[in-house]
Amino acid sequence: PEAQQIKIRQAVASRGKRVKVSGWVHRLRVQGKDMMFIILRDGSGYLQCVLTGKLCHSLDAVTLTIESTITVWGVINELPEGKTAPDHHELVADYWEIVGKAPSGDDAFNNKVTPDADPYYLLDNRHLVLRGETASAVLRARAEVIKAFRAFYDEEHFTEVTPPCMVQTQVEGGSTLFAFNYYGENAYLTQSSQLYLETCLPSLGDVFCLAESYRAEKSHTRRHLSEYSHLEAEMAFIKFDDLLDHLENMMCFVIDRVLADEETSKLVKQLNPDFKKPARPFLRMKYEDAITYLKENEIKKEDGSYYQFGEDIPEAPERAMTDKIGRPIFLTHFPAEIKAFYMQKVPSDRRVTESVDVLMPGVGEIVGGSMRMDNREELLEAYGTAGIDPAPYYWYTDQRKYGTTPHGGYGLGVERFLAWLLNRYTVRDCSLYPRFTGRCTP
Ligand code: 4AD
Ligand code: MG
């Protein structure tokens, strides 16, 4: 007999009605010969279904397995006090059908991933792991976080653009470029859309993009992917302090937005029960002061010596410092020689640049940004210093020829932001199908 087909998210609103629901068997509990409890999952939620009497006696019923697909007909009831089920409701089945049977025994997939499961097995079976409660919560939160970023840019009147992924210029140094053959010419997968965003300023004003960036990172760390989602923005006629204020506003807007939404804030609590919105203003610290901080707190190099001004602060000491400080840090004014060629130097101290890394406890750097060199001659010189052939960059250099302006922007690693917000050990858990050294499948 016919009944309205609903998604599980509509179950509570359908209380008292007879409905039809389809989904995957997420959990299965058999109680004697005449009762089965199924937690059904359809991606929109979880719903307990109760099967009784002859509904439990068919061959399909006695051989039912986790991850099989079924359709169930019945009335949605609120649960009596003292009983628990998702959303405190259950469907009392009067009829059900199998749609697709999943295997049992050795071939079965257990969607309850245990913390000690072999990571290679989990990565090979990512397509099935996604069905688990944790992975799906992360992906759902990710979608909401991306919505919140877009809402911020919308409120601030930024225009979204879609720059190319196939390029013939580097942005962040040649060592991490993925090169490929483009109709017989050398081309690369983009490391960052920044240079293209800069060219949009005279046309569209403030712009942003959410695009995949590619880095042939040789290092195997918990925060490096070979392909990651890069949220980048660029603004014209700003000062360095405006850039920092904007970044702080953006991150706080997104956190507020995510926590204000009931469903999303539930996901954050499920994944990161201790999450607290960071206090404002965020700490602003100069690179030079970080070098002093490392010294004073005995955070040393592997050889026992201290980091000196002019040296890159690698991942481990950066994280040690950030974890010790325990709140977001805007680390600013990095020396020119350890940063990318395009960064604007500080007029009063030309050793350093108007640059910022945003560091978060537990993860480290999640944002890299700067003011950009706006003087053409200086930029041409910077290509030389970086060993870059200026020819393929003619279009980027032209920005400084046809109406230059002070401008700046940043890139935020979406998986790193999520690893921080959702307290994931590695950015890999925040990517749908993570790519990193030695992994390009599934
Ligand atoms: O610091 P990065 O290299 O800066 C840029 O690419 C600038 N051109 C961005 C800009 O100003 N428009 O990268 C920016 C951010 C990092 O802070 C980090 O969060 C993330 O991108 N990121 C990675 N995330 C995952 N895996 C990797 N291999 C990453 N490399 C950078
Ligand atoms: Mg960086």
Side-chain angles (χ1 to χ4, degrees):
E2 262 331 293
Q4 195 198 350
Q5 172 106 36
I6 62 159
K7 294 283 185 198
I8 290 174
R9 73 179 136 74
Q10 301 166 302
V12 174
S14 310
R15 181 170 51 219
K17 286 200 200 113
R18 183 166 181 276
V19 297
K20 171 182 172 189
V21 189
S22 299
W24 287 260
V25 176
H26 189 65
R27 301 274 175 264
L28 179 62
R29 188 158 55 87
V30 179
Q31 222 169 59
K33 277 205 327 253
D34 288 325
M35 198 160 220
M36 288 166 72
F37 291 96
I38 294 168
I39 303 285
L40 198 64
R41 179 190 80 232
D42 73 350
S44 82
Y46 300 93
L47 175 65
Q48 173 159 295
C49 304
V50 199
L51 278 53
T52 52
K54 64 178 190 336
L55 295 180
C56 306
H57 300 160
S58 66
L59 182 64
D60 279 341
V62 294
T63 60
L64 189 63
T65 47
I66 282 182
E67 291 307 326
S68 293
T69 35
I70 61 173
T71 299
V72 190
W73 286 256
V75 175
I76 307 265
N77 287 335
E78 192 169 3
L79 279 189
E81 277 309 313
K83 293 201 170 178
T84 55
D87 290 324
H88 211 71
H89 279 69
E90 67 181 9
L91 183 149
V92 182
D94 55 53
Y95 183 69
W96 74 284
E97 273 174 9
I98 194 109
V99 179
K101 215 161 204 170
S104 58
D106 286 349
D107 217 13
F109 183 77
N110 180 358
N111 58 33
K112 231 181 208 168
V113 172
T114 53
D116 56 347
D118 173 5
Y120 290 96
Y121 173 81
L122 295 181
L123 284 161
D124 286 342
N125 290 286
R126 179 80 180 155
H127 58 300
L128 300 176
V129 169
L130 294 180
R131 302 173 178 211
E133 283 165 36
T134 302
S136 47
V138 170
L139 292 177
R140 198 176 300 284
R142 180 187 159 109
E144 293 301 325
V145 164
I146 287 173
K147 262 195 225 166
F149 278 121
R150 284 210 163 93
F152 173 79
Y153 291 122
D154 199 38
E155 278 201 2
E156 299 284 318
H157 301 280
F158 281 54
T159 302
E160 180 165 3
V161 293
T162 307
C165 280
M166 299 189 279
V167 300
Q168 292 190 308
T169 45
Q170 61 163 63
V171 189
E172 298 298 323
S175 69
T176 63
L177 284 173
F178 275 111
F180 68 97
N181 179 323
Y182 186 80
Y183 305 111
E185 280 183 51
N186 273 335
Y188 313 107
L189 295 177
T190 193
Q191 295 168 309
S192 156
S193 301
Q194 177 198 321
L195 309 191
Y196 292 98
L197 289 185
E198 289 183 50
T199 67
C200 295
L201 293 175
S203 163
L204 301 169
D206 299 339
V207 282
F208 80 98
C209 69
L210 174 58
E212 296 295 279
S213 278
Y214 302 87
R215 307 273 172 110
E217 307 275 6
K218 275 98 204 164
S219 55
H220 230 93
T221 82
R222 57 185 163 112
R223 69 177 202 195
H224 284 96
L225 294 165
S226 307
E227 173 175 358
Y228 70 95
S229 299
H230 203 175
L231 185 74
E232 296 183 274
E234 203 66 29
M235 291 163 279
F237 298 108
I238 56 162
K239 295 196 170 61
F240 184 49
D241 276 338
D242 300 328
L243 177 64
L244 301 185
D245 292 343
H246 164 95
L247 271 169
E248 188 174 318
N249 289 340
M250 174 191 66
M251 301 193 20
C252 292
F253 177 99
V254 169
I255 295 163
D256 286 342
R257 184 88 167 200
V258 159
L259 296 181
D261 181 77
E262 197 188 330
E263 290 298 311
T264 318
S265 109
K266 255 193 237 162
L267 292 173
V268 173
K269 277 203 196 82
Q270 172 191 340
L271 296 162
N272 188 2
D274 298 328
F275 181 77
K276 272 190 209 70
K277 190 194 158 184
R280 294 183 79 160
F282 290 180
L283 180 65
R284 296 183 185 188
M285 186 183 199
K286 288 190 168 150
Y287 161 89
E288 192 165 14
D289 298 327
I291 294 290
T292 310
Y293 182 96
L294 294 178
K295 215 166 271 171
E296 283 173 357
N297 287 274
E298 308 260 324
I299 301 171
K300 302 178 192 177
K301 290 194 222 170
E302 264 170 29
D303 68 6
S305 65
Y306 288 110
Y307 289 96
Q308 302 296 325
F309 184 94
E311 286 178 331
D312 186 37
I313 304 173
E315 185 169 339
E318 176 192 279
R319 195 153 49 213
M321 178 179 85
T322 314
D323 290 354
K324 202 158 181 155
I325 292 174
R327 50 186 282 217
I329 307 170
F330 281 11
L331 196 57
T332 64
H333 299 92
F334 288 89
E337 60 269 24
I338 58 168
K339 282 293 183 185
F341 71 92
Y342 53 74
M343 289 192 182
Q344 180 80 306
K345 295 197 170 91
V346 175
S348 58
D349 180 2
R350 295 188 55 82
R351 296 175 308 157
V352 295
T353 52
E354 292 185 317
S355 51
V356 57
D357 277 6
V358 180
L359 311 180
M360 289 305 202
V363 183
E365 179 195 337
I366 65 161
V367 174
S370 78
M371 297 300 288
R372 325 301 191 188
M373 249 174 217
D374 53 32
N375 180 282
R376 188 166 173 274
E377 274 58 53
E378 208 182 325
L379 179 64
L380 289 172
E381 204 182 302
Y383 291 134
T385 313
I388 293 173
D389 172 11
Y393 291 81
Y394 70 94
W395 51 275
Y396 184 68
T397 316
D398 265 359
Q399 284 302 113
R400 281 81 185 154
K401 182 173 165 187
Y402 297 99
T404 195
T405 156
H407 65 290
Y410 57 90
L412 174 145
V414 172
E415 291 81 6
R416 289 194 187 177
F417 181 84
L418 290 168
W420 168 73
L421 178 70
L422 307 177
N423 191 30
R424 297 298 95 193
Y425 177 73
T426 156
V427 292
R428 293 172 192 177
D429 292 342
C430 302
S431 169
L432 183 61
Y433 284 103
R435 264 80 181 105
F436 52 92
T437 340
R439 166 75 50 186
C440 201
T441 213

